[in-house]
Amino acid sequence: MYEDLNNKVAVVTGGSKGIGKSIAKRFGEEHMSVVINYHSDPDGANDAVNLIQTSGGKAVAVQADISQEQGANDLLQAALDNYGKLDIWVNNAGMENRVATNEMSLEVWQRVIDVNLTGVFLGSKTALNYFVKNNRPGNIINMSSVHEQIPWPGFAHYAASKGGVKLFNETIAMEYANKGIRVNAIGPGAINTPINAEKFADKQQLNDTLEMVPMKKIGDPEDVAAAAAWLASDQSKYVTGVTLFVDGGMTLYPSFQNGKG
Ligand code: NAD
């Protein structure tokens, strides 16, 4: 628990399931007030609201498409209407699908870029504009991936979007560092969420994934939420522009693990 997070106000995009829901729940345990954004799963979002309220935080669920500027504006407005301020904005929403690049339609490419990269831009822009105009310190957390660094055949749009998030994150961290605004990313590895449910249900695919993780285990969404809470808190007050990998060592060239080569 981080005492300085008490009564802080956060927006979490894509908070109805997976990592976003886990971050929302952790923020509730920190007694924060949370705007939980959902795209198409009101039940998941309402469940997240209940989890937060049960653990002593405040929460409201708001439908919005984060790839649209109006969506980001609606989330800020909900924070201001319900809680009177904004302290932390978590750009978590994301999507992926496997398509060979030579067969990838422009629509499929564009949708992943729109949600994973443009959504991060729109959320960040909205939060930054509020912090700057109101002369307030602020904190932005962008959900990147190990694939901001590791190429991923079949997921060129996803890897391109996360590579874009990496430099966007670093650039705005530098641009606003002297205004008391911190911007950091989290790079999850293989985490047990709905995005991976089918893959991890298949024993062969699960074992293939574990081969790529030096710690030989799949991460929990709570591991990512713990990183988000630390980055949101003052305990990380001298940290900006980093990607904090939460990946069991996946970015450490696991094929070298046994001293091979
Ligand atoms: P998930 O599919 O469980 O959740 C994704 C969330 O994003 C959902 O709530 C979905 O509704 C929301 N979303 C999608 N499009 C949206 C839109 N247009 N507007 C608003 N919300 C939208 O996935 P997850 O595993 O929880 O992933 C969360 C983030 O973590 C993503 O950015 C993902 O790329 C990243 N990530 C996940 C893993 C992993 O192993 N699970 C690894 C690396 C990175």
Side-chain angles (χ1 to χ4, degrees):
M1 296 282 285
Y2 300 108
E3 256 178 43
D4 63 280
L5 288 181
N6 225 299
N7 293 322
K8 288 270 165 70
V9 177
V11 167
V12 180
T13 70
S16 60
K17 58 180 169 172
I19 290 171
K21 189 175 189 175
S22 201
I23 292 173
K25 179 169 175 280
R26 174 64 192 256
F27 281 1
E29 289 160 6
E30 300 286 352
H31 296 164
M32 293 167 63
S33 301
V34 190
V35 174
I36 298 168
N37 159 238
Y38 68 95
H39 184 240
S40 45
D41 179 13
D43 291 346
N46 287 330
D47 190 41
V49 168
N50 288 334
L51 286 169
I52 289 175
Q53 288 171 343
T54 308
S55 49
K58 295 180 190 152
V60 60
V62 178
Q63 198 285 330
D65 180 348
I66 195 58
S67 69
Q68 305 292 318
E69 192 147 23
Q70 188 60 49
N73 288 336
D74 289 349
L75 297 178
L76 174 63
Q77 203 51 53
L80 301 182
D81 289 347
N82 286 281
Y83 309 119
K85 60 170 182 161
L86 173 76
D87 299 298
I88 296 145
W89 187 294
V90 182
N91 286 307
N92 164 78
M95 59 180 293
E96 67 182 47
N97 42 42
R98 182 188 292 273
V99 195
T101 308
N102 64 299
E103 291 172 357
M104 191 182 289
S105 67
L106 179 57
E107 287 72 21
V108 167
W109 164 271
Q110 196 65 58
R111 188 64 192 149
V112 169
I113 297 294
D114 282 351
V115 175
N116 295 11
L117 183 55
T118 306
V120 169
F121 158 66
L122 290 172
S124 300
K125 176 197 162 174
T126 305
L128 288 167
N129 199 38
Y130 167 80
F131 296 144
V132 170
K133 293 268 163 66
N134 292 281
N135 204 15
R136 291 182 65 95
N139 193 313
I140 295 174
I141 298 171
N142 294 316
M143 202 54 66
S144 184
S145 163
V146 291
H147 297 296
E148 71 164 46
Q149 180 173 312
I150 305 175
W152 199 14
F155 295 84
H157 48 358
Y158 183 82
S161 72
K162 297 299 186 179
V165 167
K166 171 185 157 54
L167 267 174
F168 177 74
N169 183 70
E170 291 171 357
T171 299
I172 62 169
M174 194 188 285
E175 196 170 334
Y176 295 93
N178 63 0
K179 293 193 161 54
I181 299 169
R182 294 193 296 119
V183 185
N184 291 289
I186 299 175
I191 310 295
N192 205 357
T193 70
I195 224 173
N196 289 322
E198 225 173 283
K199 182 160 57 182
F200 295 159
D202 178 312
K203 230 181 161 116
Q204 182 62 48
Q205 289 193 69
L206 174 62
N207 285 337
D208 288 348
T209 304
L210 290 173
E211 277 292 297
M212 298 187 288
V213 185
M215 289 179 75
K216 300 297 173 222
K217 52 185 173 193
I218 300 300
D220 297 318
E222 290 77 13
D223 297 328
V224 183
W230 181 73
L231 286 172
S233 80
D234 283 349
Q235 290 296 306
S236 61
K237 65 185 169 42
Y238 200 50
V239 178
T240 198
V242 306
T243 295
L244 174 53
F245 288 110
V246 180
D247 68 349
M250 194 183 240
T251 40
L252 298 177
Y253 294 92
S255 50
F256 281 80
Q257 190 167 19
N258 297 319
K260 289 184 230 161

